[in-house]
């Protein structure tokens, strides 16, 4: 017989590339509402965890809006789009977890609300990692004085750290074929930056570009940046899938250890019984 726990860790990579993997349907709605590590259907610690991180990102988004609104230019930056997505995904997850905690039977298989949560969480994780890498590799060298600012750390480092950590805490699966959602978000931003340029928009300093690497007065540079980001999204989609498989491996390994620990005392007890007899 095959070991199903081993199969879940070592599922062939090629099996992800199937039409069915595009689907956002899942038969067990509870996996979107629970942690991989909790025991039982409901857990107050998981609920607190979700709301703490929702509050963390809410504070960052609100504080940034108040201090850096700059006539509405706050809304043109991919950093702020990504940070807002972190706030949205975490708050959505907290609401879902709360509803489930109150009434576990509330969500039905294939619930639209859970599909939205699934795609938004996946998209947020991928974009957070891309934003972090692009900022520190391409933008930070030209503006080193900004590196120590709280919001820059919040939006360009803590975003990825938390979202990757959350990948190891949630219970729902990840599919590589869901790459279409972060791809769509990235292409949408690229088109937005082009339309913003055509309409004469400027950043808060009056420049005709949002980011100098996305300057449409230099179309070769801008197009190269868009394609480079698409390549990064592809890599990070595979990374997120890898996090999911690693999570399962750790979970299955811990589960086997617990089973072995439970078996050892029972074996000892039966041995002592035989000796007494």
């Amino acid at each position: 017989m095959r070991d199903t726990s081993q199969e879940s860790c070592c599922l062939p990579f090629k099996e992800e590339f199937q039409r069915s993997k595009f689907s956002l349907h899942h038969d067990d709605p509870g996996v979107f509402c629970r942690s991989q590590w909790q025991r039982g259907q409901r857990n107050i610690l998981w609920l607190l965890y979700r709301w703490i991180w929702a509050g963390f990102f809410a504070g960052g988004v609100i504080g940034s809006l108040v201090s850096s609104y700059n006539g509405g230019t706050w809304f043109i930056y991919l950093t702020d789009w990504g940070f807002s997505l972190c706030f949205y995904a975490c708050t959505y997850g907290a609401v879902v977890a709360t509803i489930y905690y109150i009434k576990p039977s509330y969500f039905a298989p294939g619930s639209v609300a859970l599909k939205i949560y699934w795609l938004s969480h996946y998209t947020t994780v991928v974009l957070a990692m891309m934003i972090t890498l692009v900022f520190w590799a391409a933008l930070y060298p030209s503006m080193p004085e900004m590196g120590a600012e709280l919001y820059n750390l919040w939006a360009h480092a803590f975003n990825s750290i938390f979202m990757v950590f959350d990948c190891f805490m949630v219970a729902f699966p990840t599919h590589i074929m869901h790459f279409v959602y972060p791809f769509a978000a990235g292409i949408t931003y690229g088109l937005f930056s082009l339309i913003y340029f055509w309409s004469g928009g400027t950043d808060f300093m009056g420049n005709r570009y949002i980011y100098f690497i996305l300057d449409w007065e230099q179309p070769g540079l801008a197009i190269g940046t868009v394609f480079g980001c698409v390549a990064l999204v592809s890599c990070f989609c595979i990374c997120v899938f890898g996090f999911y498989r690693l999570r399962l491996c750790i979970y299955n390994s811990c589960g086997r250890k617990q089973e072995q620990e439970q078996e050892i005392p029972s074996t000892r007890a039966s041995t002592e019984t035989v000796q007494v007899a």
Side-chain angles (χ1 to χ4, degrees):
M1 294 180 64
R2 290 186 302 176
D3 186 342
T4 56
S5 64
Q6 287 288 348
E7 185 178 15
S8 66
C9 288
C10 306
L11 184 69
F13 187 72
K14 64 180 181 180
E15 290 190 15
E16 276 297 305
F17 297 92
Q18 301 177 21
R19 185 184 302 175
S20 61
K21 299 297 184 180
F22 282 106
S23 173
L24 288 169
H25 178 83
H26 198 280
D27 292 330
D28 181 8
V31 298
F32 299 98
C33 313
R34 302 189 301 263
S35 169
Q36 182 79 62
W37 311 99
Q38 77 180 58
R39 294 183 178 181
Q41 290 294 311
R42 297 185 290 185
N43 189 293
I44 189 64
L45 293 179
W46 177 244
L47 191 62
L48 290 174
Y49 167 87
R50 293 252 62 103
W51 279 110
I52 287 171
W53 285 110
F56 173 80
F57 282 111
V61 169
I62 294 170
S64 177
L65 269 170
V66 171
S67 62
S68 306
Y69 183 73
N70 292 323
T73 56
W74 187 91
F75 294 98
I76 69 175
Y77 293 100
L78 183 59
T79 291
D80 299 320
W81 283 34
F83 203 54
S84 298
L85 270 177
C86 289
F87 166 57
Y88 172 79
C90 290
T91 304
Y92 202 126
V95 172
V96 165
T98 301
I99 294 173
Y100 184 81
Y101 186 83
I102 296 170
K103 187 178 180 181
S105 61
Y106 181 84
F107 294 108
S111 167
V112 174
L114 297 182
K115 290 180 179 180
I116 293 173
Y117 176 49
W118 198 2
L119 73 87
S120 64
H121 188 278
Y122 182 76
T123 301
T124 300
V125 176
V126 172
L127 290 185
M129 291 193 293
M130 187 199 73
I131 289 169
T132 295
L133 180 60
V134 171
F135 175 80
W136 294 105
L139 300 176
Y140 173 71
S142 66
M143 51 181 82
E145 70 284 352
M146 295 181 63
E149 293 182 5
L150 178 60
Y151 182 67
N152 277 301
L153 292 174
W154 214 334
H156 299 119
F158 298 156
N159 60 334
S160 293
I161 292 171
F162 167 71
M163 294 310 299
V164 170
F165 177 76
D166 202 47
C167 286
F168 288 92
M169 298 300 294
V170 297
F172 52 82
T174 295
H175 296 308
I176 293 177
M177 302 312 287
H178 288 176
F179 77 91
V180 294
Y181 305 113
F183 263 43
I187 295 300
T188 298
Y189 184 79
L191 291 174
F192 163 77
S193 69
L194 178 59
I195 294 170
Y196 191 74
F197 169 77
W198 280 342
S199 63
T202 61
D203 68 1
F204 71 96
M205 297 180 65
N207 297 310
R208 287 295 313 282
Y209 52 78
I210 300 175
Y211 298 103
F212 70 85
I213 59 173
L214 201 57
D215 183 359
W216 289 99
E217 288 186 338
Q218 303 178 58
L221 174 63
I223 293 172
T225 298
V226 171
F227 278 100
C229 289
V230 167
L232 285 176
V233 166
S234 302
C235 294
F236 287 133
C237 286
I238 296 173
C239 285
V240 176
F241 176 75
F243 297 152
Y244 161 58
R245 290 300 172 194
L246 178 58
R247 186 185 83 214
L248 288 184
C249 286
I250 296 171
Y251 177 78
N252 289 329
S253 176
C254 292
R256 284 195 294 274
K257 284 182 179 180
Q258 290 177 358
E259 288 176 2
Q260 291 171 358
E261 290 173 356
Q262 290 172 358
E263 288 174 0
I264 290 172
S266 60
T267 302
R268 287 176 179 171
S270 60
T271 302
E272 290 174 359
T273 302
V274 171
Q275 289 176 348
V276 170

